[in-house]
Amino acid sequence: MKGQKNMNKRFLRIVGRILYVFAKHLPESSKCLGIGKAVRSFSARLIVNSCGRKINIEKGAVFASNISIGNYSGIGINCRISGKCFIGNNVMMAPGVTIAPPNHIYERTDIPMNEQGMKKNKSVVIEDDVWICTNAIILDGIHIGEGAIVAAGAVVTKDVHPFSIVGGVPARVIGWRKNVEEGEENKK
């Protein structure tokens, strides 16, 4: 019985991938009455490990099957997610975001880097209510805390604290959405 269930899941993933080959080229969510959004969301549900309600997968997005997407979350236009990734609820991802967990092994100098293989994926965790802006890059093993904002073009190489705003290369804290000590919203 378990073998049959696994075979059905593999079959549905294959069907989802075939459907997504076409769906990723459909118009953006805001165009054509949202047909592209509906077809991409349907095919994503067949492909990924787990999928919440009312997700939005935009045109040109590419993602691995070992991701989880929470309720009301989205993957923006031309985003790329490779490797294991957990995306919480209400996560917004702008166009061009890259989540690139796998990394090359490069320690040996007597062997070309392209022949040394890949490091084991640590996975990326993005908690609830996070906004990742255009062309941000998030590297392997990063944990982005609840309510954080990752600025456009940022390269995230270290964990991001809850309710912080990070930007730059490498990303560093440039502001806060809340006064962390008092738990109050900043008034700027």
Side-chain angles (χ1 to χ4, degrees):
M1 195 65 151
K2 186 178 179 181
Q4 181 67 31
K5 187 176 180 180
N6 286 339
M7 190 163 35
N8 288 343
K9 187 167 178 92
R10 282 194 301 266
F11 176 74
L12 288 175
R13 276 202 170 147
I14 291 168
V15 169
R17 284 277 180 212
I18 292 168
L19 178 59
Y20 193 74
V21 166
F22 301 102
K24 74 178 181 179
H25 299 290
L26 292 173
E28 301 167 22
S29 295
S30 61
K31 298 185 170 119
C32 296
L33 304 173
I35 293 169
K37 174 182 177 177
V39 175
R40 284 189 295 272
S41 294
F42 175 77
S43 59
R45 288 181 188 289
L46 299 176
I47 297 169
V48 301
N49 282 344
S50 68
C51 194
R53 294 183 312 271
K54 296 192 178 183
I55 63 161
N56 181 27
I57 310 294
E58 281 292 354
K59 179 180 180 177
V62 177
F63 50 89
S65 61
N66 57 348
I67 68 170
S68 297
I69 305 170
N71 298 323
Y72 308 102
S73 291
I75 299 174
I77 297 168
N78 296 325
C79 287
R80 180 172 294 277
I81 303 174
S82 55
K84 190 173 183 179
C85 183
F86 172 82
I87 300 168
N89 298 319
N90 301 300
V91 172
M92 298 184 295
M93 224 177 273
V97 170
T98 300
I99 300 175
N103 206 348
H104 293 276
I105 297 171
Y106 56 83
E107 285 76 16
R108 293 187 58 183
T109 57
D110 60 323
I111 300 173
M113 288 182 279
N114 64 353
E115 293 179 14
Q116 292 185 45
M118 302 293 281
K119 292 182 180 179
K120 188 174 188 297
N121 179 273
K122 297 177 190 172
S123 82
V124 170
V125 175
I126 302 168
E127 290 189 13
D128 297 344
D129 191 30
V130 169
W131 178 18
I132 304 171
C133 299
T134 304
N135 295 326
I137 299 172
I138 300 168
L139 299 182
D140 191 20
I142 299 300
H143 187 117
I144 299 178
E146 177 186 4
I149 298 173
V150 177
V155 178
V156 182
T157 61
K158 294 182 181 172
D159 289 351
V160 176
H161 297 289
F163 301 103
S164 64
I165 303 168
V166 299
V169 180
R172 60 181 175 73
V173 175
I174 57 175
W176 294 90
R177 293 186 59 215
K178 278 187 171 185
N179 182 333
V180 176
E181 292 174 6
E182 298 173 20
E184 297 177 13
E185 293 182 21
N186 280 334
K187 294 181 173 74
K188 292 186 179 183

